Amino acid sequence: MLLAALVVGSGIAAVQLSPGQVGLQLVENAAATAAGLFAIILMVGPVSGAHFNPVVTLVDAAFGGVSWRDAAAYLPAQVAGCIGGAVLANLMFDRSAVSIATHHRASGAHLLAEVVATAGLILLIFALVRSDRAERAPAAVGAYIGAAYWFTSSTSFANPAITVGRMFSDSFAGIAPASAPAFIAAQVVGGAVGYGLVRLFYPPTATARAQAAQVVLPHADPATANGAEPPASRGVS
């Protein structure tokens, strides 16, 4: 929810603060998203691993991190959160709670950009995990997404849940429903490409499965989240 609220809300604010200056609007939107993403990963990472992105969750499951059952539970929460965040952003800027976006984006160039953006995000996250640098993920992911606003023509959605959420705000950050399915398909392809790149550059090791559980941040087992001591056979991942 916070991810969608910061992306959509900063987009609305950028247009209001800098009317007619698209480049400046993009600077403002990208900067807020990069900084906010850093903050919210730190905020909820220790609770859930900061799984805001269905593609990241599915790749993590493929690497043996979260279980497929948990991944299936995360997906609807991610989508519902992003829709809720877009609605919240609309309301905070005194707009209709729901306004369906009319910004069509699904050109061939945009779709290629989404493959590249998503593959890069997956490679970044799992490269950090497999090289024992997972604690740097909040800053690295924020920096990558902030940069990808500029080096990709699609402004780097790189997330199916945020793509769905952004359909519900006819604003600078919105995406028309007709464009969303192609964007999501490109993101899934990008996730698969990223998965392959991780396996190429960081071949499976004896500890890879244990490391996978640290995506995006190491987090507590739900059974011990209230401060109870973990059973001897479990612990904190």
Side-chain angles (χ1 to χ4, degrees), residues 51 53-55 57-58 68-81 161:
H51 281 254
N53 188 329
V55 173
T57 300
L58 292 174
W68 287 106
R69 180 178 179 179
D70 286 349
Y74 270 50
L75 265 58
Q78 292 159 342
V79 173

Side-chain angles (χ1 to χ4, degrees), residues 86-190:
V87 171
L88 182 61
N90 290 335
L91 292 173
M92 287 193 293
F93 286 89
D94 198 26
R95 293 174 164 230
S96 299
V98 174
S99 57
I100 302 303
T102 56
H103 190 169
H104 291 276
R105 300 176 182 263
S107 69
H110 286 132
L111 299 181
L112 175 60
E114 281 301 291
V115 173
V116 171
T118 309
L121 178 63
I122 295 298
L123 179 57
L124 170 65
I125 291 171
F126 288 90
L128 291 173
V129 170
R130 292 200 167 191
S131 57
D132 294 320
R133 296 176 294 160
E135 75 284 351
R136 300 184 185 181
V141 171
Y144 175 81
I145 293 298
Y149 261 78
W150 285 92
F151 79 77
T152 66
S153 61
S154 64
T155 67
S156 185
F157 285 46
N159 181 335
I162 200 72
T163 302
V164 173
R166 287 164 75 161
M167 293 191 303
F168 291 83
S169 180
D170 189 17
S171 63
F172 181 77
I175 179 172
S179 298
F183 256 55
I184 292 170
Q187 291 154 3
V188 171
V189 171

